[in-house]
Amino acid sequence: GRPRSPPPNAITEDDETNDDEERPPPTPSQVAQFLAACQSPTGGFGGGPGQRPHLAPTYAAVAALVTLNRPLAWRVLDRPALRAFLLRCADEARRRGGAAADAGHGCGFAMHEGGGEVDARSAYTALAAAELAALDVPELAARSGALAFLARCQTYAGGCGGEPGNEAHGGYAYCPSAACAIVRRAAERAGDRAAAGVFLSLSDRFP
């Protein structure tokens, strides 16, 4: 097919490598246009235009859009499609959960459809993107079982590994704590005391 034109302000192979001082910084509108080109029609964002949606660039793109200008973010961000993408990531994790899924344990989120990693990062990036996009965070947490999954990532020493059964790692300590705080705050904000109580009991594991 015909090559796609690069999005506004994209860096191309023809660009000089030493013209940083000459290149004006992108405007918020140009950044938003680039991120819009990275958004998948089925929801979520890829790392670049035309790439498959993935939770890591989805989190980064949503955070960037909201940081730039919230009204602008709402014009670019396809929130219903984002919700559908997050639910598909939860379904992907559940399909691969094996015995844990059969036993009704939380399986969290996969980083992307078709084989993405299921770990503490994926749970955090999914829930953080949902919170930034003003989606129903308690619903997504309940349907994915993300907090129960994160609780299974905690080790006897108190830290957290990337996946259940992994050695505790300092780099993963932030993800469960932040995810639990996001969900609990969302449940309290919605006035759902029952849900907030459940999430509180789980989040207390991550002081």
Side-chain angles (χ1 to χ4, degrees):
R2 297 177 58 187
R4 297 177 60 180
S5 299
N9 218 57
I11 298 176
T12 68
E13 295 179 356
D14 296 330
D15 290 331
E16 296 291 337
T17 58
N18 59 350
D19 65 346
D20 291 344
E21 295 183 0
E22 300 176 9
R23 177 186 294 277
T27 66
S29 178
Q30 288 173 324
V31 173
Q33 288 180 54
F34 171 75
L35 293 174
C38 297
Q39 186 169 213
S40 168
T42 60
F45 291 78
Q51 296 182 17
R52 78 158 69 185
H54 187 288
L55 281 177
T58 293
Y59 165 68
V62 174
L65 286 169
V66 174
T67 300
L68 283 172
N69 183 308
R70 188 169 290 269
L72 181 62
W74 296 151
R75 289 198 295 272
V76 169
L77 185 58
D78 187 340
R79 294 171 62 245
L82 173 61
R83 176 181 178 274
F85 169 65
L86 295 177
L87 289 174
R88 292 197 304 273
C89 288
D91 290 340
E92 174 75 17
R94 190 177 302 109
R95 281 194 296 270
R96 294 161 47 202
D102 294 340
H105 297 310
C107 295
F109 295 86
M111 274 292 194
H112 59 79
E113 298 173 84
E117 308 97 309
V118 179
D119 56 23
R121 301 168 307 147
S122 59
Y124 166 70
T125 51
L127 294 172
E131 171 71 0
L132 289 168
L135 299 179
D136 190 337
V137 173
E139 177 212 14
L140 289 166
R143 290 185 59 171
S144 66
L147 298 194
F149 171 81
L150 292 171
R152 292 194 292 119
C153 292
Q154 190 172 35
T155 74
Y156 70 91
C160 291
E163 302 173 19
N166 282 13
E167 180 182 10
H169 188 289
Y172 288 110
Y174 172 79
C175 292
S177 300
C180 288
I182 288 170
V183 177
R184 184 171 69 179
R185 179 182 176 187
E188 291 172 346
R189 189 171 60 240
D192 191 340
R193 294 184 178 180
V198 173
F199 296 136
L200 175 62
S201 67
L202 289 168
S203 61
D204 280 346
R205 299 183 58 148
F206 308 103

